[in-house]
Amino acid sequence: GAVVSQHPSRVICKSGTSVKIECRSLDFQATTMFWYRQFPKQSLMLMATSNEGSKATYEQGVEKDKFLINHASLTLSTLTVTSAHPEDSSFYICSAPRGGLLDTQYFGPGTRLTVL
Amino acid sequence: AQKITQTQPGMFVQEKEAVTLDCTYDTSDQSYGLFWYKQPSSGEMIFLIYQGSYDEQNATEGRYSLNFQKARKSANLVISASQLGDSAMYFCAMREGLRYGGATNKLIFGTGTLLAVQP
């Protein structure tokens, strides 16, 4: 069964609004989670590493003020897309290593964001 | 720079046949990990198989096996006895190894191969 969940699975919002996406590890604790973005017919690109109890680490070119990450607990990380615009429309997917930092990453089912 | 290359944008295979999906990588790290994930149309990334750079045996998981050729820097996925449910996008990924005293678990993905299994 699934070990990482995401909510919502799909969201449509108006330009200028903010959208929060939740990522939960279901039967394990994850001090680190990862957020990826995938454009249609393209590969996954790592956006940021979410760290419980400390600031997220963002990849080059990712605006940290645009994509706010909060690792609220050992089982929950949230990604907030602030003031969303149509170019932010994408598939956002999170992952977490199950057995420790270097363990295999298990992915959530993803969130499809459409900004009108 | 670390890089994963999947040269096959799409592949067809007959049901019950075996298929090989190619993956080559480029890294200067001595320690690294290679992964294959399956992404069906639903979007979820499903972990299939893992190969560590120091593993001497090729990894196997049920119908999946990884043909690891370290000198050639290739990590091809072999799916035996293809099933209709195997139709999906397949991504090869590499985990960066230890560097500068710190370990990371960042995954770098290839562009993927779309596999279509025909009845």
Side-chain angles (χ1 to χ4, degrees):
Chain A
V3 298
V4 176
S5 69
Q6 264 183 258
H7 178 81
S9 58
R10 184 181 295 268
V11 58
I12 301 172
C13 69
K14 291 182 179 180
S15 186
T17 60
S18 294
V19 174
K20 180 185 284 188
I21 303 169
E22 293 185 348
C23 177
R24 293 182 185 273
S25 55
L26 296 182
D27 62 354
F28 65 99
Q29 294 181 334
T31 56
T32 302
M33 293 183 176
F34 300 88
W35 286 97
Y36 294 83
R37 182 173 182 175
Q38 185 180 30
F39 288 107
K41 301 189 186 304
Q42 293 190 24
S43 188
L44 278 74
M45 297 296 292
L46 178 66
M47 297 175 66
T49 302
S50 174
N51 304 300
E52 192 271 335
S54 63
K55 292 182 179 179
T57 306
Y58 290 82
E59 295 301 300
Q60 192 173 9
V62 178
E63 299 175 60
K64 60 181 180 182
D65 295 329
K66 173 78 171 173
F67 299 100
L68 300 179
I69 291 173
N70 181 28
H71 203 126
S73 73
L74 287 171
T75 59
L76 173 64
S77 174
T78 59
L79 168 69
T80 301
V81 184
T82 61
S83 186
H85 291 285
E87 57 266 29
D88 299 323
S89 298
S90 189
F91 188 65
Y92 294 87
I93 189 165
C94 69
S95 73
R98 188 172 187 177
L101 175 60
L102 296 182
D103 198 19
T104 298
Q105 290 183 36
Y106 288 86
F107 285 79
T111 297
R112 189 161 303 281
L113 171 64
T114 303
V115 184
L116 302 177
Chain B
Q2 314 250 353
K3 188 178 179 181
I4 291 280
T5 302
Q6 293 180 255
T7 57
Q8 306 155 314
M11 291 278 287
F12 285 101
V13 65
Q14 265 331 99
E15 195 177 7
K16 301 180 184 177
E17 301 272 310
V19 63
T20 298
L21 306 183
D22 295 341
C23 173
T24 58
Y25 60 92
D26 188 18
T27 180
S28 56
D29 289 336
Q30 296 300 310
S31 174
Y32 50 89
L34 297 158
F35 301 78
W36 278 92
Y37 286 88
K38 172 185 178 181
Q39 187 179 42
S41 57
S42 61
E44 184 176 3
M45 294 288 283
I46 302 168
F47 166 70
L48 296 179
I49 197 166
Y50 166 77
Q51 179 85 42
S53 57
Y54 289 117
D55 293 341
E56 294 184 353
Q57 301 279 345
N58 283 347
T60 61
E61 288 286 348
R63 295 186 298 110
Y64 304 107
S65 60
L66 201 152
N67 184 4
F68 182 46
Q69 298 189 37
K70 195 170 182 178
R72 296 180 60 185
K73 294 190 174 179
S74 73
N76 299 339
L77 176 69
V78 180
I79 304 175
S80 62
S82 297
Q83 302 171 356
L84 295 178
D86 293 334
S87 294
M89 196 73 171
Y90 289 80
F91 289 97
C92 180
M94 178 169 62
R95 180 180 65 205
E96 295 181 344
L98 293 169
R99 54 179 51 186
Y100 307 125
T104 76
N105 199 354
K106 294 183 181 180
L107 289 180
I108 301 166
F109 284 85
T111 51
T113 296
L114 182 61
L115 177 66
V117 180
Q118 298 177 311

